[in-house]
Amino acid sequence: MILYHFTCTEHLPSILKNGLNRGEVTFDFAQRPMNGVWLTSLDTPKVQGLGDGLLRPLTEAERKIMGIPPDAPTCYFPDKHAVRIKVVIKSSDRLLKPWAKWGRRHATAQTFDTMNSTAPNWRNSYIYFGTITPDKFLEVITPHRPQGSGEMAEAA
């Protein structure tokens, strides 16, 4: 099955070396998230609940929550729309779980509903509870996107 993972350019060197092996899978807002790699069957990040894809500085409130001192240099959220990794995983792989099915069983009702309301195409989402090694990557696209664009640009 063909799936996609979206990430920022800052994470790409580690991903190319070690594979896709990290991600936060929230099942209960009161507990620390589990580790799992988020994937989607959709090839665009615009609809995945990854934010707006625009590089923006953290607000003062966000800096405070993250423990960043007020006098620290400006910090930014990474652009999780910047890189698209196309992977192939067997649908029979026991480490691959459809979010709709897994989330209903393992997430609290409030967490499941809240997460689904922030990702309009959550039914296309999957979680991989393991490492997707680079040999499973079909392509890695780091397109140039005009500022403000939410779509992936054509690969050069």
Side-chain angles (χ1 to χ4, degrees):
M1 122 182 263
I2 302 295
L3 296 169
Y4 301 89
H5 178 79
F6 295 90
T7 190
C8 59
T9 56
E10 294 87 349
H11 295 166
L12 193 54
S14 175
I15 289 170
L16 293 174
K17 180 181 178 185
N18 303 311
L20 290 166
N21 58 17
R22 298 177 196 263
E24 291 186 352
V25 179
T26 303
F27 61 96
D28 184 340
F29 290 126
Q31 295 187 37
R32 185 180 183 142
M34 296 174 66
N35 186 51
V37 178
W38 283 98
L39 300 161
T40 178
S41 59
L42 303 174
D43 66 356
T44 178
K46 188 175 182 181
V47 294
Q48 297 309 309
L50 295 172
D52 57 17
L54 299 176
L55 194 63
R56 71 164 179 82
L58 273 64
T59 65
E60 288 304 316
E62 291 163 341
R63 290 168 64 96
K64 187 175 182 178
I65 289 169
M66 295 179 182
I68 300 169
D71 58 344
T74 303
C75 298
Y76 294 85
F77 276 115
D79 178 2
K80 294 271 187 134
H81 292 203
V83 177
R84 181 179 77 189
I85 301 172
K86 185 177 182 180
V87 301
V88 61
I89 299 175
K90 291 182 180 180
S91 57
S92 61
D93 189 324
R94 297 172 65 100
L95 299 176
L96 181 66
K97 308 291 182 188
W99 163 251
K101 187 175 180 180
W102 188 91
R104 255 190 216 100
R105 286 189 180 161
H106 299 283
T108 66
Q110 178 192 11
T111 302
F112 186 73
D113 292 344
T114 301
M115 290 184 67
N116 294 345
S117 69
T118 62
N121 288 299
W122 58 273
R123 286 182 179 88
N124 300 91
S125 296
Y126 295 81
I127 308 164
Y128 193 80
F129 290 106
T131 298
I132 303 170
T133 55
D135 63 308
K136 301 275 196 264
F137 298 177
L138 296 179
E139 67 182 6
V140 177
I141 298 178
T142 56
H144 168 73
R145 292 184 298 114
Q147 186 68 17
S149 170
E151 295 292 326
M152 296 296 288
E154 195 68 32

